[in-house]
Amino acid sequence: MIEANDITVRFGTAEALRGINLTLSPGQRLGIVGESGSGKSMLGLSLMGMLPDAAGMSGQIRIDGTDMTGAKIASWRAIRARKVAMIFQEPLAALNPLRRVGNTVMEPLRQHLGHSKDAARARVLQLFEETGIQDPVAKFRQFPHELSGGQRQRVLISLALACNPKVLIADEPTTALDAHVALRITDLLVRLAEERGMALVFISHDLAAVARTAQDIAVMYGGEIVERGPVHAVLSSPHHPYTQGLLLARPALGAGHLRERLPVIPGTVPAMRDLAVGCRFSGRCAVELPHCATERPASRPVGAHHDAACHRIGAAT
Amino acid sequence: MRAHRAINLWLGAALVLPMIAIAAISLIWTPYDVTLLDVGNKFAPPSPSHWLGTDQLGRDVASLLMSASVNSLTVAFVAVGMGGSLGVMLGLLASAFGGWVETLVMRLADLGFAFPALLFAIMLATAFGPSLSNAILAIAFINIPVFARVARGAANQVWTRDFVLAGQAAGLGRARLTFDHILPNIAAPIIVQATIEFAVAILAEAALSYLGLGAQPPLPSWGRMLSEAQTLMYLAPELAIYPGLCIIIAVLGFGLLGDGLRDVTDPRLKQVRA
Ligand SMILES: Nc1ncnc2c1ncn2[C@@H]1O[C@H](COP(=O)(O)OP(=O)(O)OP(=O)(O)O)[C@@H](O)[C@H]1O
Ligand code: SF4
Ligand SMILES: [Mg+2]
């Protein structure tokens, strides 16, 4: 569905993403966790062809059989909404305050699928129903400020799903919501992905939310994926020192901490341009080896479909 | 703070609304026909039959002022409307495409700014003869760069907002995003600017008509009344004072209204209040 190879995103000389490889099969649900600034949003945007103008990207991307490597804006526009769609962190900010939400959701239907006004309207009501919006007819005519946070996010999910995308990228879709609302939204995303056979990229700070939503998890640090694998494997036997740090520092999973932030690991994330050329985690790593700062660790298998990028792995300890 | 800001708005409205009402009334009724000459009754002092007296040709001054207000408002409306729409379109274009398109539009706007309306009006008058429509074109022309700048600045801010990102993620193109999402969200600063430019346009029309480059006789115009009254300054100074006052009230009124509108719609100020 998505095949990304060696994606690197630069702002000037600073690398916001470095050598990201990612594959996503139909219906697969991948969670992405990492501290603020680790490049999660950049990864999502690069899969939409929506990186800021200042960013330079290299690497190959195939989406649903189409090679998007170096694609022009027009080719990206043609696959957005129909193949990949994205929802954002702040549902209020992501809706035009001056448009009725129904009209906002109608736009891509009219534009891409050439629906008539009536057909588009009927489809929007159906989408509202599907995403669990109560009283769709009334909601259709309301403005964003008249809806609750959860309803707004459901409207945005409707917008993203309007043209039946094969992949949905959700960039921290629950961060701005109350705990119980967040839970309902993550469950909704899982249900929609299952019903539609749609792949889901679920970006979050929140390990518990990822554990609940995704089958696989990718841990990002400093613009790289440092460890990835099935959720239970990564959480029960983390191999990368950064992942271990994350899990050690947090209370037991499912202990009522639905919305906890990633715990603090000693030190702070260095600025992007100050990251080591070798392992991005060197400098903060408790088990650092002498060559860590200068040599980049390769990703190695540590279990079934589970791999991590650390010089400690496979080396004599 | 809040009361102070609202004062501009209310003062402006208090000056502007009666003027608009009077202009509207004059369309269907004026005390006297403004083309009616009554030379036997020239320079009549104010009286119950002629509230503001009569001029050098015996025309009713109150009726002239009323009809002239229609002229001023229409010119301002048409000129700001034309120049404003063109300017807003250029600004939106610049903002939507960025890069060299934006640079080009903004350089042109700088050029337009440097070009005085009066000079343009004189050029038009030389080429096509002085007329009210040439004055309107000249005033419209100076409005283009003003609105291009305001629209582009406001639009650039809206382009960075999340709902535009969401629209992009939904595969919408620049044109759709511009009309559905950018334009409605820059309406407030555009309306504020239009109100202020209205004041400028009324003053410009008066100046051009005063110089004989605008409204031609017998169309009543404050600017022309002023220039005609000039030669009679010692005989009947009030004939210059009345149109002068009208110009001041209109310019001040729209200026205050524009400032007041800006004050109440400026999001930076709004945040302080919330
Ligand atoms: N326009 C830009 N110019 C330079 N650097 C940028 C720009 N936009 C983002 N970055 C950098 O890219 C890096 C990755 O940012 P990104 O937004 O992907 O992080 P994130 O993991 O999504 O964080 P958060 O959890 O806060 O959303 C950050 O270090 C950020 O400073
Ligand atoms: S490569 Fe070295 S610095 Fe990086 S995580 Fe492994 S041990 Fe730590
Ligand atoms: Mg982010």
Side-chain angles (χ1 to χ4, degrees), chain A residues 36-37 39-42 89 171-172 203 205:
Chain A
S36 202
K40 306 182 297 294
S41 295
M42 287 298 140
Q89 178 170 346
D171 189 356
E172 308 197 31
I203 298 172
H205 277 107

Side-chain angles (χ1 to χ4, degrees), chain B residues 12 14-16 19 222 242-255:
Chain B
L15 293 175
V16 161
M19 171 164 292
W222 293 334
Y242 292 139
L245 269 179
C246 287
I247 294 170
I248 291 173
I249 290 173
V251 171
L252 198 66
F254 280 105

Side-chain angles (χ1 to χ4, degrees), chain B:
Chain B
M1 189 69 185
R2 179 178 190 163
H4 166 73
R5 270 187 274 125
I7 277 179
N8 283 347
L9 190 69
W10 294 123
L11 265 180
L15 293 175
V16 161
L17 291 179
M19 171 164 292
I20 293 176
I22 289 173
I25 291 171
S26 79
L27 288 176
I28 43 173
W29 175 83
T30 49
Y32 291 85
D33 183 349
V34 290
T35 55
L36 191 76
L37 308 183
D38 182 5
V39 189
N41 190 24
K42 62 184 179 182
F43 299 124
S47 67
S49 57
H50 292 285
W51 302 333
L52 298 176
T54 62
D55 71 356
Q56 69 278 12
L57 299 172
R59 291 173 295 189
D60 180 57
V61 172
S63 303
L64 281 172
L65 290 173
M66 282 174 74
S67 290
S69 69
V70 177
N71 177 55
S72 285
L73 293 176
T74 316
V75 169
F77 188 78
V78 174
V80 173
M82 286 196 328
S85 337
L86 204 59
V88 168
M89 281 195 304
L90 284 172
L92 286 172
L93 189 81
S95 176
F97 283 91
W100 66 266
V101 179
E102 185 166 18
T103 315
L104 179 74
V105 170
M106 287 306 119
R107 286 303 147 270
L108 285 176
D110 290 344
L111 264 181
F113 253 118
F115 204 79
L118 196 59
L119 190 61
F120 191 64
I122 292 173
M123 277 168 53
L124 283 177
T126 322
F128 307 107
S131 74
L132 190 60
S133 42
N134 286 345
I136 293 178
L137 280 185
I139 300 169
F141 176 78
I142 48 166
N143 273 289
I144 297 173
V146 176
F147 281 88
R149 279 190 181 179
V150 172
R152 176 247 189 182
N156 278 354
Q157 279 180 17
V158 180
W159 273 102
T160 65
R161 289 175 63 182
D162 276 5
F163 61 79
V164 177
L165 213 61
Q168 268 168 341
L172 302 185
R174 289 193 186 104
R176 265 264 86 76
L177 288 169
T178 294
F179 285 108
D180 290 350
H181 295 294
I182 310 293
L183 189 56
N185 282 287
I186 63 168
I190 299 288
I191 290 169
V192 168
Q193 194 66 37
T195 313
I196 294 171
E197 292 307 318
F198 225 80
V200 177
I202 286 174
L203 194 60
E205 189 275 335
L208 291 175
S209 295
Y210 175 84
L211 295 172
L213 299 173
Q216 302 298 314
L219 194 64
S221 146
W222 293 334
R224 240 196 38 259
M225 288 171 78
L226 204 56
S227 72
E228 284 169 8
Q230 198 180 13
T231 52
L232 309 163
M233 267 309 266
Y234 295 104
L235 203 59
E238 73 278 4
L239 290 183
I241 291 171
Y242 292 139
L245 269 179
C246 287
I247 294 170
I248 291 173
I249 290 173
V251 171
L252 198 66
F254 280 105
L256 285 172
L257 191 65
D259 279 350
L261 280 176
R262 175 170 49 209
D263 291 345
V264 294
T265 57
D266 191 323
R268 277 164 300 179
L269 298 170
K270 215 178 251 169
Q271 253 156 26
V272 176
R273 197 190 309 157

Side-chain angles (χ1 to χ4, degrees), chain A residues 9-12 14-17 34-45 52-55 89 171-172 203-205 220 223 261 270-273:
Chain A
V9 169
R10 290 187 185 82
F11 290 98
E15 290 172 316
L17 292 180
E35 281 163 305
S36 202
S38 56
K40 306 182 297 294
S41 295
M42 287 298 140
L43 179 54
L45 292 174
D53 291 337
Q89 178 170 346
D171 189 356
E172 308 197 31
I203 298 172
S204 181
H205 277 107
M220 289 190 69
R261 289 276 154 169
M272 226 175 18
R273 59 187 73 252

Side-chain angles (χ1 to χ4, degrees), chain A residues 240-242 279 281-283 285 287-289 292 297 309-312:
Chain A
H240 195 281
Y242 175 66
C279 174
F281 194 44
S282 65
C285 179
V287 293
E288 191 168 337
L289 298 168
C292 285
C310 169
H311 288 305
R312 287 270 173 194

